[in-house]
Amino acid sequence: SALPCSAATSMIPPPSAARSASSVTAHGLRRTLATISAVAIGDWPSAVDNSLLRELVPDESGKPPQLSREVRGAHYVSVRPSVPAPAPRLVAYSSEVASSLGLSAETCESDEFLQFFAGKVPEAVPCWATSYGASFAGRYGGQRGDGRAISVGQVNGLEVQLKGAGTTPFSRRFDGRAVLRSSVREFLASEAMHHLGVPTTRALAVVASG
């Protein structure tokens, strides 16, 4: 559910506000960790291989990227994180997911990592939100999309997103935020599902926005 404060009015969230800093989508790929090169946050722009941006159709309407609307004739919209994080704090991270991205424990515990996954993404890093369709009771339910998740790159075949990073055209007038309790629950549930052998997205980290 949405927080009772809006990114559009630049209101600072209460301490309970947080974003699930990185939801990592694994597209059925299995990699040996020993074959994965180390990635530094400063090298992120050169480490990513954004095949989605090469293969899908971008929105070129010229409309504001945070404006709630139906996106026509495009698969994704370029949009950047917009939720302020005045005092970000690392709540937890998964060392296993970090390893799959080439991120060391030292990197994950650095201020550079914290600032990046709190939404302060360098301009050199492309960011986007993707549209998709919905089905309700066997009927097409209209366009949906990443309403509070913003992708920040594909690394080692995994798509990395900031969830709760702000509004996108698919936010349907909600504020694009995520609360701490829900983010922690999603973090724990996704790891449990993975280790039970259930295909799922996985959370790299939970970062409180402050």
Side-chain angles (χ1 to χ4, degrees):
S1 61
L3 285 177
C5 51
S6 170
T9 58
S10 299
M11 294 177 67
I12 298 175
S16 62
R19 69 198 56 172
S20 178
S22 181
S23 175
V24 182
T25 305
H27 301 284
L29 297 177
R30 294 186 178 182
R31 291 173 175 267
T32 302
L33 296 184
T35 68
I36 294 176
S37 301
V39 175
I41 295 299
D43 297 332
W44 193 269
S46 59
V48 300
D49 179 20
N50 297 330
S51 61
L52 291 175
L53 301 189
R54 294 194 299 270
E55 298 169 4
L56 300 181
V57 178
D59 172 53
E60 297 179 337
S61 66
K63 295 180 180 179
Q66 273 91 23
L67 176 67
S68 289
R69 59 187 171 87
E70 183 168 344
V71 176
R72 299 180 180 273
H75 296 115
Y76 71 89
V77 176
S78 294
V79 58
R80 305 196 71 78
S82 59
V83 170
R89 175 172 56 89
L90 180 63
V91 177
Y93 75 91
S94 166
S95 57
E96 189 173 296
V97 176
S99 294
S100 72
L101 295 169
L103 300 172
S104 67
E106 182 180 6
T107 295
C108 292
E109 294 166 8
S110 68
D111 185 68
E112 195 174 26
F113 177 94
L114 177 64
Q115 297 299 328
F116 185 98
F117 288 103
K120 296 179 182 179
V121 181
E123 290 295 326
V125 176
C127 302
W128 70 94
T130 308
S131 64
Y132 48 83
S135 175
F136 300 104
R139 296 184 179 183
Y140 178 60
Q143 185 184 78
R144 295 291 187 271
D146 295 329
R148 59 178 181 174
I150 296 177
S151 298
V152 294
Q154 292 171 264
V155 180
N156 295 328
L158 305 175
E159 182 181 2
V160 182
Q161 295 181 317
L162 307 184
K163 188 169 185 180
T167 55
T168 76
F170 314 108
S171 297
R172 293 182 290 160
R173 296 185 174 84
F174 291 104
D175 61 19
R177 297 171 182 254
V179 297
L180 181 57
R181 62 181 180 277
S182 299
S183 299
V184 171
R185 182 168 59 242
E186 183 172 329
F187 181 92
L188 295 175
S190 64
E191 287 300 277
M193 290 173 64
H194 170 75
H195 288 284
L196 288 170
V198 180
T200 179
T201 59
R202 299 182 68 186
L204 167 63
V206 176
V207 174
S209 56

